[in-house]
Amino acid sequence: GLGLQVPPHFILLDHASRSLVVAVRGTRSFSDVYTNLVCRPCPFIGGYAHEGMASSARSLWNHLGTYVKKIVPDGYSLKFVGHSLGGGIAILTALHLLTDPLEANFKRKTDISCWAYAPPPVFKGVRKLVPRVRTQVNCFVNRDDVVPTLSFAKVGKVFEHLRMLDRVGWMDRWRALKCANPVEFLENKMQGRFSRRSDFEDLELPGQVFWMWGKGDFRLVKTGTLSEVMVSDTMIMNHMVRAYEQTLLSVLEGAE
């Protein structure tokens, strides 16, 4: 319904891992930016998802599904991969396949998984994903990359707290900035005097989340670990593809 085009992607056959890989490109065009910005949660497979990326995931599988089913060799797995926007679309495409009963025959003979790097929070289920699905979706976060912590609801909360800061007096602003938990201070100060606007579902990274910090530091973490927006002077630099490549190489060196 959004009129979003099929996201740029390519397909490759990796005989070494016996996999058919669908790689989805990250943000590069104005159309990609539009997909990112259509970010309100919408209903998706029994939960909620990033609206623009959910629409792109549907478009991608509608475009590729029949072809992929024909060409994937027997005994080969199907892997969806992507970075940033591409990672979000890859996650939702894989989730659709892993949970759609109409794809039962295909799933019986083909192992389906997702490997997403630097994805934004894209999904929240009404109930927890079953282990069989959860372990097939893998999300990788590099150091203090801000994108995996950004969702429509979280950005709304940031603006709420800025509005709170604007409404209190100068003395309370100074106290808020000096205290250990300025958000808690502001919420207590404005209790009953502030109407909330960010009532949207707070999306998460589904599946398994791996937080990478370099050589010898590679953690499987709970989604709640990334519940706050990470702000630092390297939060954008560590989102770049090159930064992910460097950290992955460092992690692999540490595992040898």
Side-chain angles (χ1 to χ4, degrees):
L2 295 176
L4 297 175
Q5 59 185 332
V6 176
H9 60 277
F10 69 91
I11 301 172
L12 62 92
L13 199 57
D14 182 12
H15 295 294
S17 65
R18 297 179 63 82
S19 304
L20 182 75
V21 181
V22 177
V24 188
R25 195 189 72 191
T27 303
R28 191 175 178 182
S29 66
F30 286 116
S31 176
D32 297 333
V33 172
Y34 176 67
T35 302
N36 282 306
L37 292 177
V38 183
C39 55
R40 290 197 179 198
C42 69
F44 187 82
I45 60 167
Y48 297 90
H50 182 292
E51 186 175 9
M53 295 185 197
S55 179
S56 290
R58 293 189 189 99
S59 296
L60 178 65
W61 190 244
N62 287 341
H63 176 72
L64 283 183
T66 302
Y67 176 67
V68 164
K69 290 176 186 178
K70 286 181 179 178
I71 67 170
V72 62
D74 290 341
Y76 275 54
S77 63
L78 172 62
K79 290 184 171 70
F80 292 93
V81 303
H83 171 268
S84 194
L85 167 66
I89 295 171
I91 288 170
L92 295 179
T93 308
L95 283 178
H96 164 69
L97 283 175
L98 288 166
T99 58
D100 188 353
L102 296 178
E103 302 290 352
N105 289 333
F106 180 55
K107 287 184 289 186
R108 268 195 290 270
K109 62 180 183 178
T110 307
D111 182 58
I112 299 167
S113 63
C114 172
W115 304 81
Y117 302 88
V122 289
F123 179 76
K124 185 168 186 179
V126 175
R127 291 180 292 274
K128 283 187 176 181
L129 294 172
V130 297
R132 176 183 57 80
V133 173
R134 191 165 61 247
T135 56
Q136 296 299 93
V137 177
N138 304 282
C139 304
F140 296 85
V141 180
N142 180 36
R143 303 176 187 268
D144 56 355
D145 178 2
V146 69
V147 170
T149 68
L150 287 178
S151 68
F152 189 79
K154 286 189 179 72
V155 172
K157 287 176 183 177
V158 169
F159 280 104
E160 275 184 0
H161 295 141
L162 290 175
R163 287 174 60 221
M164 289 181 186
L165 194 64
D166 189 54
R167 291 192 179 190
V168 298
W170 282 104
M171 186 60 72
D172 283 329
R173 290 181 196 176
W174 183 84
R175 288 171 180 162
L177 294 173
K178 291 291 183 181
C179 71
N181 192 331
V183 170
E184 183 179 356
F185 174 85
L186 288 170
E187 289 181 342
N188 289 336
K189 198 72 180 176
M190 297 298 294
Q191 194 169 17
R193 294 188 290 145
F194 190 84
S195 59
R196 292 190 174 276
R197 294 182 181 178
S198 57
D199 297 325
F200 300 100
E201 290 293 332
D202 196 0
L203 303 180
E204 301 171 340
L205 296 178
Q208 300 184 124
V209 180
F210 298 94
W211 202 356
M212 310 181 299
W213 285 87
K215 194 170 184 178
D217 197 347
F218 182 75
R219 319 169 196 172
L220 175 61
V221 300
K222 294 181 179 179
T223 300
T225 308
L226 302 172
S227 60
E228 299 296 329
V229 176
M230 287 194 284
V231 179
S232 74
D233 57 351
T234 56
M235 63 184 184
I236 302 299
M237 181 182 70
N238 280 328
H239 179 67
M240 300 296 105
V241 171
R242 182 58 181 159
Y244 270 78
E245 289 175 345
Q246 291 172 341
T247 302
L248 277 168
L249 286 172
S250 177
V251 167
L252 292 172
E253 287 171 5
E256 291 178 350

